[in-house]
Amino acid sequence: MPTDSPTPLASVANFTEGPFANLVSGYTTQAKSNLMLQATRACESACDRRLTPFTGLVETQRAEAMDVEDALDAYVPLDPTAQLGFSRAQSLGSTLLVRHFWVREFPARYPEMWSGAVTALSLARSYSGTQTVSPSTLQYEPDTGHVRFQLGTFVPPGTTIQVTYSGGYSTVPADLVQACQYMAASMAVKQLDPVDGRSGHDPDALRADALEMLAPYTRR
């Protein structure tokens, strides 16, 4: 299971140094921390993306098809590992091996601020057993989420791929910090003043501001 990181997009200090400080003046230290984490998760839900750093995220997907440029229709020089994998595929009557897949979480913007790594990967084939693949043999591109198998890795179409990886913004873009503050303010106003609006803040307008800032990060 993924670890629910306690690092929010915006810190309590970010939130209380600005015009929203009065909203949480009666909150305990723990309540303020909880609010910022809740606002972070609300931002992630709105975007349908993980944004704050995470570890141990496990995804399972089905290997499908392959790219034309990776087809081995012609004999080309192969290293020993690739030779063995290709020979094994031929012996089982399958020469179309999957070479690519994409993990779900990758940066929508500012990839230079994102850090990620594949930490484990296993294959469950519909025939010929299972296999653990060393992450060191994979080509992982954190900016796009693309993962390429080493040539010769035996991955027939239909194989179940289970990948464990980490990711998230190690440096949070400023617009995400602001969006989290707006989201937290909206949540605080609804908690403290849900009816008559005496706080002077409109929770719906604050949430709308947050969603506007999150729009470029929303999964398409």
Side-chain angles (χ1 to χ4, degrees):
M1 295 293 291
T3 300
D4 192 14
S5 171
T7 304
L9 292 172
S11 67
V12 172
N14 294 144
F15 189 70
T16 55
E17 67 186 2
F20 301 129
N22 65 303
L23 294 177
V24 293
S25 59
Y27 280 40
T28 65
T29 299
Q30 186 60 54
K32 293 176 186 177
S33 297
N34 291 342
L35 175 66
M36 300 316 296
L37 184 56
Q38 291 162 4
T40 293
R41 293 308 185 213
C43 289
E44 291 182 327
S45 295
C47 292
D48 190 25
R49 291 184 184 274
R50 297 293 294 268
L51 301 169
T52 194
F54 60 86
T55 59
L57 180 59
V58 178
E59 288 181 1
T60 302
Q61 54 184 280
R62 185 179 186 274
E64 297 181 357
M66 65 178 295
D67 285 357
V68 174
E69 66 267 23
D70 289 320
L72 295 178
D73 293 331
Y75 288 99
V76 295
L78 301 175
D79 61 27
T81 300
Q83 287 277 16
L84 288 172
F86 189 43
S87 175
R88 183 183 183 190
Q90 288 179 313
S91 71
L92 294 170
S94 174
T95 57
L96 295 179
L97 300 181
V98 176
R99 291 285 312 285
H100 308 266
F101 72 96
W102 281 260
V103 295
R104 179 174 171 79
E105 302 302 337
F106 59 91
R109 305 182 73 190
Y110 309 116
E112 71 277 10
M113 299 182 183
W114 181 280
S115 61
V118 173
T119 54
L121 189 142
S122 63
L123 306 173
R125 295 180 282 265
S126 57
Y127 58 92
S128 190
T130 61
Q131 179 183 353
T132 298
V133 178
S134 172
S136 64
T137 67
L138 302 170
Q139 178 186 332
Y140 171 53
E141 300 164 2
D143 59 329
T144 63
H146 173 241
V147 182
R148 184 195 300 270
F149 289 106
Q150 186 178 60
L151 190 63
T153 305
F154 188 55
V155 193
T159 296
T160 296
I161 301 171
Q162 186 176 84
V163 58
T164 304
Y165 66 109
S166 61
Y169 283 109
S170 53
T171 299
V172 182
D175 52 353
L176 284 181
V177 175
Q178 185 68 66
C180 185
Q181 291 176 316
Y182 282 142
M183 191 68 76
S186 173
M187 296 170 75
V189 171
K190 286 186 176 181
Q191 291 172 3
L192 296 172
D193 190 18
V195 179
D196 56 16
R198 286 177 297 178
S199 68
H201 296 287
D202 182 344
D204 294 331
L206 288 167
R207 180 176 173 81
D209 288 338
L211 295 179
E212 181 179 359
M213 300 198 76
L214 291 170
Y217 295 88
T218 301
R219 194 181 299 278
R220 300 293 192 269

